[in-house]
């Protein structure tokens, strides 16, 4: 009976490989799967007749598989292991005495098979000792740079989303060092009580980075509760609930942070002795309000807007609940509160505007409005006027240079992301770019576009990072811009001109009817863009789902990065999840180095003519990755590029940490980051495969980087010089937020919010956790 079962099992595997392999050959793919299937069919027939020669045939099949695998991927463990794993396991089974008619003696065939299996295991062991995906190196310890005085934030505080208006995510504190960080422990844990529920939209996330001013921490929750905590103990001092409700029309439900402002005209140094609302925090809400709160009490500030609230729907076209709000905190500079907003992607062609507005931080009066669809007018509109519908929006965080009088805006795209035949010249100019606006007037000073005629949802997602770089020409005020497509642009922030070279390279053509593609695309000399995928890069838990991925790969249109969307279906790599996303990168202005977390996941997109979208699909838009783009020519189906088992079709690693010398644009080191422990419905072994993540890093003056973000629930510390992991702590939920650091009671704290991310499936929670060294 075991012999018959073995024959049936091998025959089923053989038929799948032969049938799928022939299909792959017809698509222009590898012939090996078909040949392997035929070889296994011969073996299955021999096993069914209890012929010892079955082992000899299987040894030949196994040897051929090993040779083919080495030819395709060399000594790269994960691609090699999944090519050989299934056949090696079958070979081990065939070595048992009962697998082939109860034969118990070790004849030549059995010895040959045993030797072949051992060779395969030996090759796999050798591959484990090699890692072609790691760059080893070291960043210089000191290069003579200097911190930028931008807002006079005290060393022990954190006043803006990225600590200062420069967005560096860098603290000058140095109590925690590479030598002692391994002793860090939990100082306190606070739970907000705001947990994602079944009625929430999928993209419900906890992405907040707290602020620290005086002895208080300020944060918000996904459902827009503002909270103040004692910075040393974590005890709640006040709470304000915006009561913005739930709305199924929202694409996102998140709050990345609050903004802080102190009225400099009030001379008291002790804010507690000053009038109410001298110091205040601002809370954007998901029903498009902006609320000013007294920083000490949490009470609303009645002198701001209408009884403490500014209505961000004012002058907005196509006002539909849930389609617009500010997921990121406003930037406050020179007494101006500057704010953008997130517009639902790919839902409706009649969408709100992406206007950027500046308000008086004290009164809430609108001072200027810059609309990328009508960029030459910045004066406030009249009561009956509206901003340009569906203009590129900015949903991320801004940076500012008060000395230059500029605020830097990372811009996205107009809906729909995958079709641009209808876009105006202004939209074409500003889509997927970073724009410098005059803080006083809102006028455009310069614009740098990172993708021409963007058809891939390659919004500029990250806060620009400002740093003064030591260059051959002297100290240059620079801007470092991370992008989804993996390029890091280093620009002169005065003019937008590249400091590190940027070239224009030819891009694939062939857009759908009534659209077009840009003939070239910009590429930075500093880039984490991946190599183009090839069929041999397809992956899977076994040869079976790997074959399925190869078939899908051959069925999709793919000519490398910037392959245009198609009716056939297009492979988008990097996918719109991004190599970098809103977490941006961290920059040490003294060492002149950058720490980042590049992520690599491919996606697919397929355009669907609007007249082919059924009424049922219209009603259930969003399911199965279908975005309707109501009123447009095409809907689009988007999804991660995964196997039938739900695993990425591309081989790992999928996530790294990396260190860069910004003066030269050199990648000093790049290491795999994260494990698969929390990648399944039950705990898996913490295998360090390098997993994707979303979130941002923190750098300290002592050369320690902190990062959570990955899909396993850990916060980690790294040596910035070498990339070596120095410390990790288990988190009670997903850590898809950027950590921050401050001083309280003479000790340095690092705070990480752990609340999860609905779209990547990490565990939901409501935790705010502070770590410090033991006393």
């Amino acid at each position: 009976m075991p012999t018959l079962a073995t024959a049936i099992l091998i025959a089923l595997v053989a038929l799948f490989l032969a049938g799928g392999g022939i299909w792959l050959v017809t698509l222009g793919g590898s012939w090996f799967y078909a040949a392997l299937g035929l070889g296994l069919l011969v073996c299955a027939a021999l096993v069914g007749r209890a012929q010892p020669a079955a082992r000899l045939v299987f040894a030949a099949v196994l040897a051929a598989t090993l040779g083919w695998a080495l030819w395709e991927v060399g000594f790269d463990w994960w691609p090699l292991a999944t090519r050989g794993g299934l056949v090696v396991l079958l070979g081990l089974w065939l070595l048992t005495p009962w697998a082939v008619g109860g034969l118990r003696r070790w004849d030549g065939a059995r010895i040959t098979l045993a030797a072949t299996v051992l060779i395969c295991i030996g090759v796999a062991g050798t591959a484990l000792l090699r890692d072609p995906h790691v760059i080893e190196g070291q960043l210089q310890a000191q290069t003579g740079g200097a911190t930028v005085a931008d807002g006079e934030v005290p060393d022990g505080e954190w006043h803006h989303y990225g600590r200062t208006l420069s967005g560096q995510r860098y603290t000058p504190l140095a109590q925690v060092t590479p030598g002692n960080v391994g002793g860090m422990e939990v100082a306190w844990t606070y739970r907000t009580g705001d947990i994602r529920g079944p009625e929430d939209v999928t993209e419900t996330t906890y992405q907040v980075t707290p602020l620290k001013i005086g002895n208080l921490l300020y944060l918000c929750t996904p459902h827009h509760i503002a909270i103040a905590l004692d910075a040393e103990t974590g005890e709640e001092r006040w709470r304000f609930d915006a009561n913005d409700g739930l709305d199924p029309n929202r694409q996102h439900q998140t709050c990345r942070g609050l903004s802080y402002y102190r009225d400099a005209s009030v001379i008291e140094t002790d804010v507690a002795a000053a009038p109410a609302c001298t110091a205040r925090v601002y809370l954007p809400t998901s029903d498009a309000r902006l609320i000013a709160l007294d920083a000490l009490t949490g009470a609303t500030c009645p002198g701001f807007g209408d009884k403490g609230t500014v209505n961000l729907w004012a002058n907005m076209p196509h006002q539909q609940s849930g389609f617009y709000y500010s997921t990121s905190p406003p930037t406050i500079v020179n007494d101006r509160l500057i704010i953008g907003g997130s517009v639902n992607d790919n839902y409706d062609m009649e969408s709100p505007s992406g206007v950027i507005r500046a308000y008086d931080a004290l009164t809430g009066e609108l001072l200027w409005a810059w609309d990328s669809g009508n960029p030459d007018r910045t004066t406030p509109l009249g009561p009956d006027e509206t901003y340009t519908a569906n203009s590129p929006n900015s949903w991320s965080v801004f940076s500012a240079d008060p000395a230059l009088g500029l605020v830097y805006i990372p811009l996205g795209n107009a809906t729909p992301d995958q079709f641009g035949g209808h876009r105006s010249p202004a939209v074409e100019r500003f889509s997927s770019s970073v724009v410098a606006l005059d803080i006083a007037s809102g006028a455009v000073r310069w614009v740098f576009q990172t993708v021409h005629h963007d058809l891939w949802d390659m919004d500029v997602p990250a806060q620009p990072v400002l740093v003064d770089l030591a260059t051959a020409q002297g100290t240059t005020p620079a801007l470092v811009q991370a992008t989804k497509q993996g390029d890091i642009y280093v620009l002169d922030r005065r003019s937008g001109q590249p400091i590190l070279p940027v070239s224009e390279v030819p891009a694939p053509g062939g857009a759908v009817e009534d659209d077009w593609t840009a003939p070239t695309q910009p590429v930075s000399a500093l880039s984490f863009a991946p190599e183009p995928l090839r069929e041999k890069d397809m992956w899977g838990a076994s040869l079976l789902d790997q074959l399925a991925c190869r078939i899908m790969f051959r069925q999709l249109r793919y000519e490398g990065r910037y392959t245009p969307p198609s009716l056939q279906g297009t492979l988008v790599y990097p996918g719109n999840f991004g190599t970098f996303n809103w977490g941006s990168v961290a920059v040490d202005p003294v060492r002149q180095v950058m720490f980042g977390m590049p992520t690599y996941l491919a996606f697919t997109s397929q355009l669907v003519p609007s007249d082919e979208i059924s009424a049922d699909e219209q009603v259930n838009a969003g399911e199965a990755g279908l975005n309707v783009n109501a009123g447009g020519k095409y809907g689009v189906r988007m999804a991660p590029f995964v196997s039938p088992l739900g695993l990425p079709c591309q081989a790992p690693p999928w996530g790294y940490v990396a260190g860069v010398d910004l003066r030269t644009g050199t990648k000093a080191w790049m290491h795999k980051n994260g494990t698969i422990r929390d990648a399944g419905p039950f705990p898996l072994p913490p295998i360090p495969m390098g997993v994707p993540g979303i979130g941002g890093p923190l750098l300290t003056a002592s050369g320690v980087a902190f990062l959570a973000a990955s899909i396993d629930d850990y916060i980690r510390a790294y040596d910035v010089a070498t990339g070596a992991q120095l410390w990790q702590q288990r988190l009670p939920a997903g850590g898809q937020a950027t950590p921050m650091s401050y001083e309280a009671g003479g000790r340095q704290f690092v705070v990480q919010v752990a609340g999860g991310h609905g779209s990547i499936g990490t565990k939901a929670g409501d935790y705010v956790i502070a770590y410090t060294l033991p006393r």
Side-chain angles (χ1 to χ4, degrees), residues 704-719:
V704 179
F706 290 91
L707 175 71
S710 64
I711 61 170
D712 61 352
D713 300 335
Y714 288 95
I715 181 172
R716 297 180 170 93
Y718 309 82
D719 186 327

Side-chain angles (χ1 to χ4, degrees), residues 215-548:
N215 65 343
L216 293 180
L217 285 182
Y218 300 98
L219 57 108
C220 55
T221 73
H223 298 94
H224 302 94
I225 301 170
I227 298 169
L229 304 177
D230 184 284
E232 189 169 7
T233 66
E235 295 177 4
E236 184 179 303
R237 294 300 181 220
W238 58 255
R239 158 184 295 243
F240 173 86
D241 191 340
N243 293 308
D244 54 2
L246 296 172
D247 190 331
N249 289 325
R250 288 176 193 152
Q251 200 164 43
H252 311 277
Q253 185 70 48
T254 195
C255 184
R256 292 192 183 94
L258 305 173
S259 302
Y260 171 79
Y261 174 74
R262 166 78 189 264
D263 183 0
S265 68
V266 178
I267 62 174
E268 287 91 340
T269 56
D270 182 4
V271 71
C277 289
T278 295
R280 56 182 71 182
V281 292
Y282 298 86
L283 172 69
T285 71
S286 54
D287 56 0
R289 290 176 289 157
L290 180 63
I291 303 172
L293 305 171
D294 185 288
L296 295 184
T297 67
T300 55
C301 297
F304 181 78
D306 182 8
K307 300 177 182 177
T309 299
V310 163
N311 176 21
L312 297 177
W313 280 118
N315 297 104
M316 191 67 75
H318 307 305
Q319 297 186 18
Q320 184 174 344
S321 177
F323 271 58
Y324 175 88
Y325 82 97
S326 296
T327 53
S328 295
T331 294
I332 302 176
V333 55
N334 296 353
D335 300 321
R336 282 162 164 73
L337 186 154
I338 304 173
I339 189 168
S342 175
V343 177
N344 281 1
D345 277 341
N346 302 327
Y347 275 44
D348 198 317
M349 298 294 290
E350 294 184 346
S351 293
S353 176
V355 62
I356 310 297
R357 288 171 282 193
Y359 296 90
D360 185 294
L362 281 175
T363 67
E365 176 191 359
L366 180 63
L367 302 176
W368 55 257
W370 180 74
D371 176 359
S372 57
N374 183 22
D376 296 328
R377 175 180 177 179
T378 62
T379 55
L381 301 185
D384 298 324
E385 296 181 282
T386 58
Y387 303 113
T388 305
N390 199 21
S391 54
N393 64 302
S394 185
W395 51 266
S396 192
V397 185
F398 309 157
S399 301
D401 186 331
L404 292 177
L406 297 179
V407 59
Y408 302 96
I409 314 293
L411 276 174
N413 222 332
T415 289
D417 290 309
Q418 288 77 25
F419 180 81
H422 61 293
R423 296 174 188 168
S424 70
V427 168
E428 288 292 350
R429 179 186 177 196
F430 292 108
S431 287
S432 302
S433 65
V434 56
V435 178
L437 301 181
D438 187 283
I439 293 170
S441 68
V444 175
R445 291 280 191 88
W446 58 258
V447 55
F448 180 89
Q449 189 166 65
T450 65
V451 182
H452 306 320
H453 194 63
D454 183 4
L455 300 174
W456 305 272
D457 191 20
M458 293 300 177
D459 299 349
V460 179
Q463 180 183 22
V465 181
L466 312 184
V467 60
D468 289 349
L469 282 182
T471 68
Q473 291 73 40
T475 300
T476 302
L479 178 150
V480 180
Q481 183 62 67
T483 64
K484 285 186 178 181
Q485 62 271 26
D487 290 309
I488 305 284
Y489 294 97
V490 182
L491 311 174
D492 186 319
R493 67 175 181 267
R494 297 168 297 186
S495 63
Q497 293 300 307
I499 296 173
L500 293 181
V502 175
S503 56
E504 290 284 336
V505 301
V512 293
E513 184 181 3
D514 296 330
D515 205 352
W516 54 278
T517 57
T520 63
Q521 292 289 354
V523 174
S524 175
L526 174 55
S527 181
F528 286 88
E531 291 295 320
L533 289 174
R534 301 154 298 178
E535 185 194 314
K536 67 181 182 180
D537 296 319
M538 297 302 100
W539 193 71
S542 71
L543 282 168
L544 305 181
D545 52 325
Q546 184 185 110
L547 172 58

Side-chain angles (χ1 to χ4, degrees), residues 110-126:
R110 196 172 180 191
I111 292 170
T112 300
L113 177 56
T116 308
V117 169
L118 287 174
I119 290 170
C120 289
I121 293 172
V123 169
T126 302

